[in-house]
Amino acid sequence: MNSLTAALLASAALFATPALAQTASPVPGTAPAPVATLPGTPQPPFPTTPPKLIVAISVDQFSADLFQQYRNHFTGGMARLLTGAVFPSGYQSHAATETCPGHSTILTGYRPAHTGIIANNWIDQSVGRADKIVYCSEDERVAGNDHNNYTVSDMHLKVPTLGERMKTADPRVRTVSVAGKDRAAVMMGGHKMDEIWWWDGKTYVSYAGRAVPPVVERTRKAVADLVAKPQAPLPLPGFCKSLDRPITVGSQTLGTGRFQRAAGDLKAFRVSPAADAAVLAMAAGFVQDMKLGQGPQTDMLSVGLSATDYIGHALGTQGAEMCIQMEELDRSLAGFFDVLDATGVDYEVMLTADHGAHDMTERQQIRAMPMESHIAPEAKTKAMAAVIAQGLGLSNTPPIMMSAEGDIYINRDLPAATRAKVLAEAKRRYEALPQVAAALTRDEIAATPWPTTPPETWTLKEKARSSYDPTRSGDLLILLKPRVTTIEEAAPGYVETHGSPWDYDRRVPILFWRKGMAGFEQPLSVETVDIAPTLAATIGLPIPGVDGRCLDLDPGAADTCKK
């Protein structure tokens, strides 16, 4: 267990009053411990009373493939979740399998076409700044900002989250959102937050003007103290040894890292298991300090764990580094759940991911996947725009095309007839490229009926339709073929990615757990938009009209969707 996990979770001493940290007995005002029953007494397959606290956890880039690869090695928090309702084939069913869209589906029940979060970034040519790229969790109206240096905002999320709905139904509800990324905290938390905090690269921050609660001050200090000291290599679990092999990727040698860290290296802290442990410790501290789940209402806590994503992007998914991360994540979750157990609160947990991913091209090529490839330079928007401009005699005009996350936007200042020619030529040229699976115009996508079949059967147009917002999507959407990465050349910190419409990026686990429930596994596909109505049903809160459906968590004759 890394030092931060040990210091902040195993004892919780830095984040709780000593009495609460040292006792596992219920504190005044919490739900009583379950009463022992005689052997053979029938037990309800799922608790019949609403939970007092909902804990929704997203593990960024935790693909269904990673879950399957490591599920037999989990012995801690993940092992606990495996005793609940397990849906190993959940889907972020849309095409834009990125962090912001994925998080926007988890607690809203809506696909990105309705949340408005079509990508991490999109183009808005009406923005009054030179940088026309808009970041999903920014307020682009703030002067002096750009999409890399922004003011965090929830303004682009068009729908309410479950926590918002709970607070609207009962103003006594407390909602808290903490994460390793601002877009995770915002998209899971929504617009009405009692507390919302995220890591900004240096420390934990929130919206301007918010008071800093003691638990955040303690977290900041604990992390600063930890980062000020060097981190020795973490131990290599026995089941990780087969993955402990070096691989050359550009100028780097990866695959055998142990998360050793020089004193003061904040970037290395972010790309390590310690980052998740810190977020979980802060979440546990909020539960204790705010006494979440100890009032007459049900409270809401969302937790965004980002280290798996940073590790995947920087180091890949199939080396010793990710294996160690899976071990440490399992342990950190165990410590977090131990703290929640000690409060005596009846809590319900849901864990999923915002998207999947697959390993870096270089390692895939030497592990039975020689067809894996990097995107060719001619497929990049700047190169394509230059060729089209020359062919149409537009070389002396401003850039005719802009792009963000696979969406291509035709310069709106061009005459309508010229715009149509650029679009037609771009579609023709992209479809001719061997790495491109489809080049879909906004009219083609908009005309596609809303998908109604299981997500694994969807066509590319149906996947694109689920990510399409007419006010934000581009004029043309480029979808690459399977096993083609959008990374042109691997670089330090960026050797693999996600965002494709293929199942290795779409499939994620969805797990539900509550003390006293009878677990089961359902291997057939479900969607992340099913999570919000499922959790809402357990507290008797109707949320009609969403894209998802309620999943029955009772394996018996009863139905948790009909409470």
CSV table of all heavy atoms in Angstrom, one decimal, residues 111-118 122-125 158 407-409 419 441-443 445-447 450 464-476:
chain,number,residue,atom,x,y,z
A,111,ARG,N,-27.9,10.6,-22.7
A,111,ARG,CA,-26.7,10.5,-23.6
A,111,ARG,C,-26.2,11.9,-23.9
A,111,ARG,O,-27.0,12.8,-23.8
A,111,ARG,CB,-27.1,9.7,-24.8
A,111,ARG,CG,-27.6,8.2,-24.5
A,111,ARG,CD,-28.1,7.5,-25.7
A,111,ARG,NE,-28.6,6.2,-25.3
A,111,ARG,CZ,-29.7,5.6,-25.8
A,111,ARG,NH1,-30.4,6.3,-26.7
A,111,ARG,NH2,-30.0,4.4,-25.4
A,112,PRO,N,-25.0,12.0,-24.5
A,112,PRO,CA,-24.4,13.3,-24.8
A,112,PRO,C,-25.3,14.1,-25.7
A,112,PRO,O,-25.2,15.4,-25.7
A,112,PRO,CB,-23.1,12.9,-25.4
A,112,PRO,CG,-22.7,11.6,-24.7
A,112,PRO,CD,-24.0,10.9,-24.6
A,113,ALA,N,-26.0,13.5,-26.6
A,113,ALA,CA,-26.9,14.3,-27.5
A,113,ALA,C,-27.9,15.2,-26.7
A,113,ALA,O,-28.3,16.2,-27.1
A,113,ALA,CB,-27.7,13.3,-28.4
A,114,HIS,N,-28.2,14.7,-25.5
A,114,HIS,CA,-29.1,15.5,-24.6
A,114,HIS,C,-28.4,16.2,-23.5
A,114,HIS,O,-28.9,17.3,-23.1
A,114,HIS,CB,-30.2,14.6,-24.0
A,114,HIS,CG,-31.1,14.0,-25.0
A,114,HIS,ND1,-31.6,12.7,-25.0
A,114,HIS,CD2,-31.7,14.6,-26.1
A,114,HIS,CE1,-32.4,12.5,-26.0
A,114,HIS,NE2,-32.5,13.6,-26.7
A,115,THR,N,-27.3,15.7,-23.0
A,115,THR,CA,-26.5,16.5,-22.0
A,115,THR,C,-25.9,17.7,-22.6
A,115,THR,O,-25.5,18.6,-21.9
A,115,THR,CB,-25.4,15.6,-21.3
A,115,THR,OG1,-24.4,15.3,-22.3
A,115,THR,CG2,-26.0,14.3,-20.7
A,116,GLY,N,-25.6,17.7,-23.9
A,116,GLY,CA,-25.0,18.8,-24.6
A,116,GLY,C,-23.4,18.7,-24.5
A,116,GLY,O,-22.7,19.5,-25.1
A,117,ILE,N,-22.9,17.6,-23.8
A,117,ILE,CA,-21.5,17.4,-23.7
A,117,ILE,C,-21.0,16.5,-24.8
A,117,ILE,O,-20.9,15.3,-24.5
A,117,ILE,CB,-21.1,17.0,-22.3
A,117,ILE,CG1,-21.8,17.9,-21.2
A,117,ILE,CG2,-19.6,16.9,-22.1
A,117,ILE,CD1,-21.4,19.3,-21.3
A,118,ILE,N,-20.8,17.0,-26.0
A,118,ILE,CA,-20.5,16.1,-27.1
A,118,ILE,C,-19.1,15.7,-27.2
A,118,ILE,O,-18.8,14.8,-27.9
A,118,ILE,CB,-20.9,16.9,-28.4
A,118,ILE,CG1,-20.0,18.1,-28.6
A,118,ILE,CG2,-22.3,17.3,-28.4
A,118,ILE,CD1,-19.9,18.7,-30.0
A,122,TRP,N,-15.1,21.4,-28.2
A,122,TRP,CA,-15.7,21.6,-29.5
A,122,TRP,C,-15.4,23.1,-30.0
A,122,TRP,O,-14.8,23.9,-29.2
A,122,TRP,CB,-17.2,21.4,-29.4
A,122,TRP,CG,-18.0,22.2,-28.4
A,122,TRP,CD1,-18.4,23.5,-28.5
A,122,TRP,CD2,-18.3,21.8,-27.0
A,122,TRP,NE1,-19.1,23.9,-27.3
A,122,TRP,CE2,-19.0,22.9,-26.4
A,122,TRP,CE3,-18.2,20.6,-26.3
A,122,TRP,CZ2,-19.5,22.8,-25.1
A,122,TRP,CZ3,-18.7,20.5,-25.0
A,122,TRP,CH2,-19.3,21.6,-24.4
A,123,ILE,N,-15.8,23.3,-31.2
A,123,ILE,CA,-15.6,24.6,-31.8
A,123,ILE,C,-16.9,25.5,-31.7
A,123,ILE,O,-17.9,25.0,-32.0
A,123,ILE,CB,-15.2,24.5,-33.3
A,123,ILE,CG1,-13.9,23.7,-33.4
A,123,ILE,CG2,-15.0,25.9,-33.9
A,123,ILE,CD1,-12.6,24.4,-33.0
A,124,ASP,N,-16.7,26.7,-31.3
A,124,ASP,CA,-17.8,27.7,-31.3
A,124,ASP,C,-17.3,28.9,-32.0
A,124,ASP,O,-16.6,29.7,-31.4
A,124,ASP,CB,-18.3,28.0,-29.9
A,124,ASP,CG,-19.5,28.9,-29.9
A,124,ASP,OD1,-19.8,29.5,-31.0
A,124,ASP,OD2,-20.2,29.1,-28.9
A,125,GLN,N,-17.7,29.1,-33.3
A,125,GLN,CA,-17.1,30.2,-34.1
A,125,GLN,C,-17.6,31.5,-33.6
A,125,GLN,O,-17.1,32.6,-34.1
A,125,GLN,CB,-17.4,29.9,-35.5
A,125,GLN,CG,-16.7,28.7,-36.0
A,125,GLN,CD,-16.9,28.4,-37.5
A,125,GLN,OE1,-16.5,29.2,-38.4
A,125,GLN,NE2,-17.5,27.3,-37.9
A,158,LYS,N,-26.6,20.6,-19.9
A,158,LYS,CA,-27.9,21.0,-20.2
A,158,LYS,C,-29.0,20.3,-19.4
A,158,LYS,O,-30.2,20.7,-19.4
A,158,LYS,CB,-28.2,20.8,-21.7
A,158,LYS,CG,-27.4,21.6,-22.6
A,158,LYS,CD,-27.9,21.4,-24.1
A,158,LYS,CE,-27.2,22.4,-25.1
A,158,LYS,NZ,-27.7,22.2,-26.5
A,407,ASP,N,-14.6,16.2,-34.7
A,407,ASP,CA,-15.6,17.0,-35.4
A,407,ASP,C,-14.9,18.1,-36.2
A,407,ASP,O,-14.0,18.7,-35.7
A,407,ASP,CB,-16.5,17.7,-34.3
A,407,ASP,CG,-17.6,16.8,-33.9
A,407,ASP,OD1,-18.6,16.6,-34.7
A,407,ASP,OD2,-17.6,16.4,-32.7
A,408,ILE,N,-15.3,18.2,-37.4
A,408,ILE,CA,-14.7,19.2,-38.3
A,408,ILE,C,-15.8,20.3,-38.6
A,408,ILE,O,-16.9,20.0,-38.9
A,408,ILE,CB,-14.3,18.6,-39.6
A,408,ILE,CG1,-13.1,17.7,-39.3
A,408,ILE,CG2,-13.9,19.6,-40.7
A,408,ILE,CD1,-12.6,16.9,-40.5
A,409,TYR,N,-15.4,21.6,-38.5
A,409,TYR,CA,-16.2,22.7,-38.7
A,409,TYR,C,-15.8,23.5,-39.9
A,409,TYR,O,-14.6,23.9,-39.9
A,409,TYR,CB,-16.2,23.6,-37.4
A,409,TYR,CG,-16.6,22.9,-36.1
A,409,TYR,CD1,-15.8,22.0,-35.5
A,409,TYR,CD2,-17.9,23.1,-35.6
A,409,TYR,CE1,-16.2,21.3,-34.3
A,409,TYR,CE2,-18.3,22.5,-34.4
A,409,TYR,CZ,-17.4,21.6,-33.8
A,409,TYR,OH,-17.8,20.9,-32.6
A,419,ARG,N,-18.9,26.9,-48.8
A,419,ARG,CA,-19.0,26.0,-47.7
A,419,ARG,C,-19.4,24.6,-48.1
A,419,ARG,O,-18.9,23.6,-47.7
A,419,ARG,CB,-19.9,26.5,-46.6
A,419,ARG,CG,-19.3,27.6,-45.8
A,419,ARG,CD,-20.4,28.3,-44.9
A,419,ARG,NE,-21.1,27.3,-44.1
A,419,ARG,CZ,-20.7,26.8,-42.9
A,419,ARG,NH1,-19.6,27.2,-42.4
A,419,ARG,NH2,-21.4,25.9,-42.3
A,441,THR,N,-21.7,13.6,-42.4
A,441,THR,CA,-22.2,15.0,-42.3
A,441,THR,C,-23.2,15.2,-41.2
A,441,THR,O,-23.9,14.2,-40.8
A,441,THR,CB,-22.8,15.5,-43.6
A,441,THR,OG1,-24.0,14.8,-43.8
A,441,THR,CG2,-21.8,15.2,-44.8
A,442,ARG,N,-23.4,16.4,-40.7
A,442,ARG,CA,-24.3,16.7,-39.7
A,442,ARG,C,-25.7,16.3,-40.2
A,442,ARG,O,-26.6,15.9,-39.4
A,442,ARG,CB,-24.2,18.1,-39.2
A,442,ARG,CG,-24.5,19.2,-40.2
A,442,ARG,CD,-24.2,20.6,-39.7
A,442,ARG,NE,-25.2,21.0,-38.6
A,442,ARG,CZ,-24.8,21.2,-37.4
A,442,ARG,NH1,-23.5,21.1,-37.0
A,442,ARG,NH2,-25.7,21.6,-36.5
A,443,ASP,N,-26.0,16.5,-41.5
A,443,ASP,CA,-27.4,16.1,-42.0
A,443,ASP,C,-27.6,14.6,-41.9
A,443,ASP,O,-28.7,14.2,-41.6
A,443,ASP,CB,-27.5,16.6,-43.4
A,443,ASP,CG,-27.6,18.2,-43.5
A,443,ASP,OD1,-27.9,18.8,-42.4
A,443,ASP,OD2,-27.4,18.7,-44.6
A,445,ILE,N,-26.2,12.5,-39.8
A,445,ILE,CA,-26.3,12.1,-38.4
A,445,ILE,C,-27.7,12.5,-37.9
A,445,ILE,O,-28.4,11.8,-37.2
A,445,ILE,CB,-25.2,12.8,-37.6
A,445,ILE,CG1,-23.8,12.3,-38.0
A,445,ILE,CG2,-25.4,12.5,-36.1
A,445,ILE,CD1,-22.7,13.0,-37.4
A,446,ALA,N,-28.1,13.8,-38.2
A,446,ALA,CA,-29.4,14.3,-37.7
A,446,ALA,C,-30.6,13.5,-38.2
A,446,ALA,O,-31.6,13.3,-37.5
A,446,ALA,CB,-29.6,15.7,-38.0
A,447,ALA,N,-30.4,12.9,-39.4
A,447,ALA,CA,-31.5,12.1,-40.0
A,447,ALA,C,-31.6,10.7,-39.5
A,447,ALA,O,-32.5,10.0,-39.8
A,447,ALA,CB,-31.3,12.1,-41.5
A,450,TRP,N,-33.2,7.6,-33.6
A,450,TRP,CA,-32.6,7.3,-32.3
A,450,TRP,C,-32.5,5.8,-32.1
A,450,TRP,O,-33.5,5.1,-32.3
A,450,TRP,CB,-33.5,7.9,-31.2
A,450,TRP,CG,-32.9,8.1,-29.9
A,450,TRP,CD1,-33.3,7.4,-28.8
A,450,TRP,CD2,-31.9,9.0,-29.5
A,450,TRP,NE1,-32.6,7.8,-27.7
A,450,TRP,CE2,-31.7,8.8,-28.1
A,450,TRP,CE3,-31.2,9.9,-30.1
A,450,TRP,CZ2,-30.8,9.5,-27.3
A,450,TRP,CZ3,-30.2,10.7,-29.4
A,450,TRP,CH2,-30.0,10.4,-28.0
A,464,ALA,N,-23.0,7.9,-33.5
A,464,ALA,CA,-22.8,9.3,-33.7
A,464,ALA,C,-24.0,10.1,-33.3
A,464,ALA,O,-23.9,11.2,-32.8
A,464,ALA,CB,-22.4,9.6,-35.2
A,465,ARG,N,-25.2,9.5,-33.6
A,465,ARG,CA,-26.4,10.2,-33.3
A,465,ARG,C,-26.6,10.5,-31.8
A,465,ARG,O,-27.1,11.5,-31.3
A,465,ARG,CB,-27.6,9.4,-33.8
A,465,ARG,CG,-29.0,10.0,-33.5
A,465,ARG,CD,-29.2,11.3,-34.2
A,465,ARG,NE,-30.5,11.9,-33.9
A,465,ARG,CZ,-30.6,12.8,-32.8
A,465,ARG,NH1,-29.6,13.0,-32.0
A,465,ARG,NH2,-31.8,13.3,-32.6
A,466,SER,N,-26.1,9.5,-31.0
A,466,SER,CA,-26.2,9.6,-29.6
A,466,SER,C,-25.2,10.7,-29.0
A,466,SER,O,-25.3,11.0,-27.8
A,466,SER,CB,-25.9,8.3,-28.9
A,466,SER,OG,-26.9,7.4,-29.2
A,467,SER,N,-24.3,11.1,-29.8
A,467,SER,CA,-23.3,12.2,-29.4
A,467,SER,C,-23.6,13.5,-30.0
A,467,SER,O,-22.9,14.5,-29.8
A,467,SER,CB,-21.9,11.8,-29.7
A,467,SER,OG,-21.5,10.6,-29.0
A,468,TYR,N,-24.7,13.6,-30.8
A,468,TYR,CA,-24.9,14.7,-31.7
A,468,TYR,C,-25.8,15.8,-31.1
A,468,TYR,O,-26.9,15.5,-30.7
A,468,TYR,CB,-25.5,14.3,-33.0
A,468,TYR,CG,-25.9,15.4,-34.0
A,468,TYR,CD1,-24.9,16.1,-34.7
A,468,TYR,CD2,-27.2,15.8,-34.1
A,468,TYR,CE1,-25.3,17.2,-35.5
A,468,TYR,CE2,-27.6,16.8,-34.9
A,468,TYR,CZ,-26.6,17.5,-35.6
A,468,TYR,OH,-27.0,18.5,-36.5
A,469,ASP,N,-25.2,17.0,-31.0
A,469,ASP,CA,-26.0,18.2,-30.5
A,469,ASP,C,-25.9,19.2,-31.7
A,469,ASP,O,-24.8,19.7,-32.0
A,469,ASP,CB,-25.4,18.8,-29.3
A,469,ASP,CG,-26.2,20.0,-28.7
A,469,ASP,OD1,-26.6,20.8,-29.5
A,469,ASP,OD2,-26.2,20.1,-27.5
A,470,PRO,N,-27.1,19.6,-32.3
A,470,PRO,CA,-27.0,20.5,-33.4
A,470,PRO,C,-26.4,21.9,-33.1
A,470,PRO,O,-25.9,22.5,-34.1
A,470,PRO,CB,-28.5,20.6,-33.8
A,470,PRO,CG,-29.3,20.3,-32.6
A,470,PRO,CD,-28.4,19.2,-31.9
A,471,THR,N,-26.4,22.3,-31.9
A,471,THR,CA,-25.8,23.6,-31.5
A,471,THR,C,-24.3,23.5,-31.3
A,471,THR,O,-23.6,24.6,-31.2
A,471,THR,CB,-26.5,24.2,-30.3
A,471,THR,OG1,-26.1,23.3,-29.1
A,471,THR,CG2,-28.0,24.2,-30.5
A,472,ARG,N,-23.7,22.3,-31.2
A,472,ARG,CA,-22.3,22.2,-30.8
A,472,ARG,C,-21.5,21.2,-31.7
A,472,ARG,O,-20.3,21.4,-31.8
A,472,ARG,CB,-22.2,21.7,-29.4
A,472,ARG,CG,-22.7,22.7,-28.4
A,472,ARG,CD,-22.7,22.3,-26.9
A,472,ARG,NE,-23.2,23.3,-26.0
A,472,ARG,CZ,-23.5,23.1,-24.8
A,472,ARG,NH1,-23.3,21.9,-24.2
A,472,ARG,NH2,-24.0,24.1,-24.0
A,473,SER,N,-22.2,20.3,-32.3
A,473,SER,CA,-21.4,19.3,-33.2
A,473,SER,C,-21.0,20.0,-34.5
A,473,SER,O,-21.5,21.0,-34.9
A,473,SER,CB,-22.3,18.1,-33.5
A,473,SER,OG,-22.7,17.4,-32.3
A,474,GLY,N,-20.0,19.3,-35.1
A,474,GLY,CA,-19.4,19.9,-36.3
A,474,GLY,C,-20.2,19.6,-37.5
A,474,GLY,O,-21.3,19.0,-37.5
A,475,ASP,N,-19.6,20.1,-38.7
A,475,ASP,CA,-20.3,19.9,-40.0
A,475,ASP,C,-20.0,18.5,-40.5
A,475,ASP,O,-20.7,18.0,-41.3
A,475,ASP,CB,-19.8,20.9,-41.0
A,475,ASP,CG,-20.1,22.3,-40.5
A,475,ASP,OD1,-21.3,22.6,-40.5
A,475,ASP,OD2,-19.2,23.1,-40.3
A,476,LEU,N,-18.9,17.9,-40.1
A,476,LEU,CA,-18.5,16.6,-40.5
A,476,LEU,C,-17.8,15.8,-39.3
A,476,LEU,O,-17.0,16.4,-38.6
A,476,LEU,CB,-17.5,16.7,-41.7
A,476,LEU,CG,-17.1,15.5,-42.4
A,476,LEU,CD1,-18.2,14.9,-43.2
A,476,LEU,CD2,-15.9,15.8,-43.4
